[in-house]
């Protein structure tokens, strides 16, 4: 077996793997190899090759000028062939999902797939150009670095602004003690809440950038070790891993560069302005004079500017009743709608035309995005309660694994590889494999008091609709109740959605209204759509960022409503 070591070239350099001299290694000496013997299958340094030549003059050796004839080191081979399951090697390839898999993956995720074959059979076709993929990785790494630098700069600007706020308040403290108490209650608390939320969001994005950079860097470095080695299986696996990681990175870049274009200004509310007006004799007090670009503006009110209707009924629908119980917008701007009445999920193109569908054995209740090409659908039937995973592959909907639960499954949300499910009376937290992690919240006072749920972009808040009692409940990550919203205009709140900027949209099912709440779920910001706009029994709502529109699904209606917003 080839011996190798890892070294660092200069401060901050990427680590790389090189071979060590086999005889020196046997004497516990780390000495880089300069030659490889094809007969002995060993490596030799410049000193040891002389002795080897005297003993084995006819052996064929290759120097560093012929490294293409050296074998691939075991660490590189193990890295390329390793599955996400740490102890499993990649052995098969699923053509339905275009995914590499080990035996565990094939059993858990691809049992229903028709085209799962051994990798040795898949490499018979033409292979992708690894050099071209390496250049693509370098391009993506540059973009990731730009995004990471943006987040780092953004965090520094945010901290400067926060410190300025505290300093200016501190300078006026002695003269306005009475008013300062009110300022601290109404303003400082708001700023601190925003800082906590924004820091969590920025830190998460910085960590994601670093993780993608590390994975892409390692793939780039290992490609150089297998190019021109004639290892067809390794090249096939490497090409698939590179394409998958490049797609993940490009999707992440697209979503976050759009997100960082948003900006947030720390506005001073009307009560605070009233307090400041009393201080005219004390001089001008400037609380905030600068707007810093930050991800998300949860209290920016959306304004409806136009309306369209699109028919989502298809000839194979078995019932006259179409209830659109959930809506998702994918990263490629395709749209999924859950047709509760016909027990199916439908795929819509950019013009809102149905281009595909997938049938279920139970009624779909809600959906959440797991990856850019996969969603999880909560389903409820007479004997079926669970979450069905569905992938979008070349315009086709493909059902994957299914998790079964003992309790009904109404709402579903996803955050950091955890699933959140509501049962009507409780909110549960599960792992992606279906293991119960915690019961976060429970209310058994009535049915449908824990109905649908949605997660804030930073994952620090969970919004739950209490349909039976006309409330929206905001929970902390651990299930603690932060606040409760109740309004006479909100009758039987069902569908709830949080935009990427943190704006909370909720359907009043029986009051025929879509309300926008503030980012905390404490107060009403706007009536977005009402009965006068043609809205009747709304069940689901979703914001499409790329088209700046709100999509609404209704009960017993063939059409979805699309409202253009500003």
């Amino acid at each position: 077996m080839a011996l190798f070591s890892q070294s660092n070239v200069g401060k901050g350099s990427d680590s790389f793997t090189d071979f060590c001299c086999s005889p020196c290694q046997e004497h516990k000496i780390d000495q880089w190899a300069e030659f490889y013997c094809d007969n002995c299958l060993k490596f030799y340094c410049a000193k040891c090759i002389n002795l080897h030549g005297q003993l084995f003059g006819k052996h064929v050796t290759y120097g560093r000028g012929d490294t293409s004839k050296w074998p691939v080191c075991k660490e590189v081979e193990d890295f390329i062939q390793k599955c996400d399951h740490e102890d499993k090697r990649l052995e098969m390839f699923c053509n339905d999902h275009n995914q590499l898999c080990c035996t565990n993956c094939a059993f858990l995720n691809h049992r229903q797939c028709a085209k799962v074959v051994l990798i040795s059979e898949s490499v018979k076709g033409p292979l992708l150009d690894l050099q071209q993929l390496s250049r693509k990785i370098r391009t993506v790494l540059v973009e990731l670095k730009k995004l990471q630098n943006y987040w780092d700069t953004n965090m520094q600007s945010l901290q400067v602004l926060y410190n300025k706020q505290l300093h200016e308040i501190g300078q006026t403290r002695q003269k306005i003690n009475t008013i300062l108490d009110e300022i601290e209650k109404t303003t400082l608390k708001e700023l601190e809440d925003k800082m906590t939320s924004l820091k969590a969001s920025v830190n998460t994005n910085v960590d994601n950038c670093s993780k993608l950079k590390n994975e892409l860097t390692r793939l780039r470095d290992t490609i150089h070790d297998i190019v021109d080695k004639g290892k067809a299986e390794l090249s096939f696996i490497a090409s698939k891993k590179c394409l998958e990681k490049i797609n993940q990175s490009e999707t992440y870049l697209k979503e976050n560069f759009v997100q960082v274009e948003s900006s947030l200004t720390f506005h001073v509310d009307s009560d605070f302005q009233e307090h400041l007006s009393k201080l005219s004799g004390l001089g001008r007090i400037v609380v905030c004079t600068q707007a810093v670009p930050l991800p998300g503006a949860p209290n920016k009110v959306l304004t409806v500017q136009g309306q369209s209707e699109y028919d989502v009924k298809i000839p194979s629908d078995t019932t006259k009743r179409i209830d659109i119980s959930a809506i998702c917008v994918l990263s490629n701007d395709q749209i999924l709608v859950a047709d509760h009445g016909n027990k199916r999920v439908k795929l819509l193109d950019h013009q809102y035309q149905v281009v595909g569908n997938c049938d279920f054995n139970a009624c779909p209740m809600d959906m959440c995005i797991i990856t850019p090409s996969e969603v999880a659908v909560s389903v409820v039937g007479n004997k079926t309660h669970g979450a069905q995973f569905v992938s979008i592959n070349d315009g086709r909907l493909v059902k994957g694994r299914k998790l079964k639960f003992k309790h009904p499954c109404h709402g579903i949300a996803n955050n950091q590889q955890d699933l959140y499910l509501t049962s009507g009376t409780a909110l549960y937290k599960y792992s992606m494999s279906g293991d119960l992690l915690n019961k976060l919240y429970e209310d058994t006072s009535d049915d449908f008091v824990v109905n649908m749920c949605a997660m804030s972009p930073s994952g620090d808040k969970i919004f739950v609709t209490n349909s039976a009692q006309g409330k929206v409940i905001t929970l902390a990550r651990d299930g603690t109740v932060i606040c409760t919203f109740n309004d006479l205009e909100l009758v039987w709140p069902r569908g709830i959605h949080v935009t990427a900027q943190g704006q909370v949209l909720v359907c009043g099912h029986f009051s025929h209204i879509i309300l926008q709440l503030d980012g905390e779920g404490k107060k009403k910001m706007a009536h977005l759509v009402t009965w006068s706009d043609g809205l009747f029994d709304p069940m689901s709502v979703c914001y499409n960022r790329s088209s700046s529109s709100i999509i609404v699904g209704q009960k017993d209606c063939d059409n979805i409503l699309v409202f253009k917003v500003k």
Side-chain angles (χ1 to χ4, degrees):
M1 181 181 296
L3 301 175
F4 55 90
S5 66
Q6 282 195 334
S7 302
N8 289 316
V9 182
K11 183 178 179 181
S13 298
D14 297 325
S15 63
F16 67 94
T17 302
D18 204 345
F19 293 96
C20 291
C21 174
S22 303
C24 292
Q25 193 79 14
E26 292 173 1
H27 291 84
K28 299 183 179 179
I29 299 174
D30 289 333
Q31 181 64 42
W32 285 6
E34 299 293 339
F35 297 89
Y36 170 69
C37 178
D38 202 28
N39 298 88
C40 300
L41 302 180
K42 290 186 177 181
F43 297 87
Y44 299 94
C45 64
K47 182 178 179 181
C48 292
I49 195 64
N50 293 329
L51 180 60
H52 173 271
Q54 296 173 15
L55 296 175
F56 308 103
K58 295 183 179 181
H59 282 195
V60 179
T61 61
Y62 301 103
R64 287 199 174 266
D66 294 319
T67 53
S68 62
K69 297 178 181 179
W70 290 25
V72 177
C73 70
K74 185 178 184 302
E75 185 188 20
V76 172
E77 191 168 343
D78 288 345
F79 169 70
I80 289 296
Q81 292 185 329
K82 185 176 72 173
C83 185
D84 290 339
H85 304 94
E86 294 294 335
D87 58 340
K88 292 293 183 181
R89 290 168 64 89
L90 295 167
E91 299 176 2
M92 287 169 280
F93 180 70
C94 176
N95 286 279
D96 290 341
H97 291 86
N98 197 30
Q99 288 182 353
L100 299 162
C101 54
C102 65
T103 52
N104 280 2
C105 291
F107 178 76
L108 293 174
N109 303 329
H110 303 279
R111 282 183 290 178
Q112 299 181 9
C113 298
K115 297 180 181 179
V116 180
V117 298
L118 293 172
I119 290 175
S120 58
E121 297 179 17
S122 298
V123 300
K124 296 177 182 179
L127 298 177
L128 294 173
D129 186 350
L130 292 181
Q131 294 286 9
Q132 184 178 357
L133 290 174
S134 178
R135 292 191 292 271
K136 185 67 173 179
I137 286 177
R138 289 197 297 269
T139 301
V140 175
L141 283 171
V142 170
E143 296 302 311
L144 282 171
K145 180 62 177 176
K146 290 180 182 178
L147 182 60
Q148 186 178 23
N149 290 339
Y150 181 91
W151 288 119
D152 291 339
T153 304
N154 202 24
M155 191 67 252
Q156 294 173 6
S157 299
L158 178 65
Q159 190 64 52
V160 169
L161 180 60
Y162 177 68
N163 292 338
K164 181 180 178 181
Q165 295 285 106
L166 294 181
H167 177 71
E168 291 179 349
I169 291 175
Q171 286 183 325
T172 61
R173 193 172 188 80
Q174 295 180 350
K175 297 180 181 180
I176 54 172
N177 283 332
T178 302
I179 297 178
L180 184 60
D181 291 337
E182 295 297 324
I183 293 175
E184 288 176 341
K185 291 178 183 178
T186 60
T187 305
L188 286 181
K189 181 60 169 63
E190 180 181 353
L191 290 174
E192 289 169 358
D193 289 346
K194 288 178 180 177
M195 280 293 301
T196 300
S197 177
L198 291 168
K199 279 184 177 180
S201 177
V202 171
N203 289 334
T204 298
N205 279 285
V206 171
D207 291 341
N208 288 339
C209 281
S210 297
K211 181 180 178 181
L212 286 171
K213 281 181 58 185
N214 293 337
E215 292 173 346
L216 285 169
T217 300
R218 192 168 186 187
L219 279 171
R220 179 199 63 194
D221 293 342
T222 54
I223 283 175
H224 296 303
D225 291 329
I226 62 176
V227 172
D228 300 329
K229 293 294 195 307
K231 296 282 188 176
E233 291 190 13
L234 283 179
S235 296
F236 178 81
I237 295 173
S239 66
K240 292 299 180 182
K241 278 196 169 184
C242 287
L243 282 176
E244 180 182 3
K245 197 57 62 179
I246 288 172
N247 289 336
Q248 289 181 9
S249 301
E250 289 180 333
T251 300
Y252 178 78
L253 285 166
K254 175 184 176 183
E255 292 177 348
N256 283 277
F257 270 124
V258 172
Q259 183 181 5
V260 300
E261 291 175 358
S262 304
S263 62
L264 172 66
T265 302
F266 289 140
H267 294 291
V268 180
D269 63 25
S270 58
D271 291 337
F272 183 37
Q273 293 283 13
E274 182 179 352
H275 291 312
L276 293 182
S277 65
K278 300 175 183 178
L279 302 175
S280 57
L282 298 178
R284 184 168 177 258
I285 301 173
V286 180
V287 177
C288 181
T289 61
Q290 181 182 5
V292 179
L294 294 171
N299 294 334
K300 178 183 178 182
V301 175
L302 301 174
T303 304
V304 174
Q305 295 183 320
Q307 173 186 344
S308 302
E309 293 186 12
Y310 298 93
D311 192 345
V312 295
K313 186 176 180 62
I314 58 178
S316 59
D317 286 342
T318 57
T319 67
K320 295 182 179 179
R321 174 179 175 179
I322 295 181
D323 300 334
I324 303 302
S325 57
I327 304 170
C328 275
V329 178
L330 305 177
S331 60
N332 61 359
D333 295 336
Q334 288 185 307
I335 300 162
L336 287 177
V337 296
D339 185 344
H340 180 276
N342 286 286
K343 297 181 181 178
R344 59 178 36 161
V345 169
K346 298 174 180 178
L347 178 65
L348 312 183
D349 62 15
H350 299 174
Q351 286 74 43
Y352 302 98
Q353 302 300 308
V354 180
V355 294
N357 66 88
C358 180
D359 290 341
F360 293 1
N361 294 324
C363 296
M365 299 290 290
D366 198 9
M367 288 188 294
C368 69
I369 295 176
I370 304 298
T371 71
S373 60
E374 185 181 37
V375 298
V377 184
S378 59
V379 295
V380 171
N382 292 332
K383 298 181 180 179
T384 303
H385 307 303
Q388 174 69 62
F389 289 79
V390 178
S391 298
I392 297 85
N393 186 12
D394 294 329
R396 296 183 300 111
L397 299 181
V398 181
K399 287 193 293 187
R401 60 195 177 98
K402 183 177 181 180
L403 304 178
K404 294 184 178 180
F405 304 104
K406 295 181 180 180
H407 60 77
C409 298
H410 293 192
I412 187 169
N414 167 48
N415 180 58
Q416 296 182 350
Q417 296 302 303
D418 291 325
L419 279 178
Y420 295 81
L421 284 160
T422 59
S423 66
T425 58
L427 172 66
Y428 299 89
K429 179 180 178 181
Y430 288 93
S431 69
M432 279 296 173
S433 58
D435 297 323
L436 177 61
L437 302 179
N438 199 4
K439 181 191 287 186
L440 297 175
Y441 176 78
E442 186 174 31
D443 182 355
T444 58
S445 62
D446 204 337
D447 295 332
F448 300 101
V449 291
V450 189
N451 197 6
M452 294 294 159
C453 62
M455 186 73 61
S456 66
S458 60
D460 61 334
K461 293 183 288 294
I462 310 164
F463 301 94
V464 175
T465 55
N466 180 336
S467 301
Q469 298 171 356
K471 301 176 182 178
V472 174
I473 304 168
T474 305
L475 304 175
R477 197 193 306 266
D478 61 359
T480 304
V481 176
I482 298 176
C483 62
T484 299
F485 174 80
N486 194 353
D487 192 281
L488 294 177
E489 291 184 310
L490 194 63
V491 182
W492 197 270
R494 187 193 183 277
I496 189 165
H497 173 74
V498 184
T499 71
Q501 294 183 330
Q503 295 145 315
V504 181
L505 313 180
V506 60
C507 299
H509 182 58
F510 291 152
S511 50
H512 319 298
I513 195 170
I514 304 292
L515 295 181
Q516 178 183 342
L517 310 185
D518 72 323
E520 301 294 323
K522 292 180 179 179
K523 60 182 179 181
K524 177 170 55 181
M525 302 295 293
H527 305 81
L528 296 180
V529 188
T530 65
W531 190 17
S532 62
D533 300 306
L535 189 67
F536 190 81
D537 287 351
M539 297 185 71
S540 54
V541 62
C542 185
Y543 178 68
N544 187 344
R545 181 171 54 190
S546 64
S547 63
S548 298
S549 57
I550 296 173
I551 308 171
V552 180
Q554 303 175 98
K555 181 180 178 64
D556 198 13
C557 182
D558 295 349
N559 298 328
I560 58 171
L561 300 179
V562 179
F563 298 92
K564 196 72 175 178
V565 297
K566 179 180 180 181

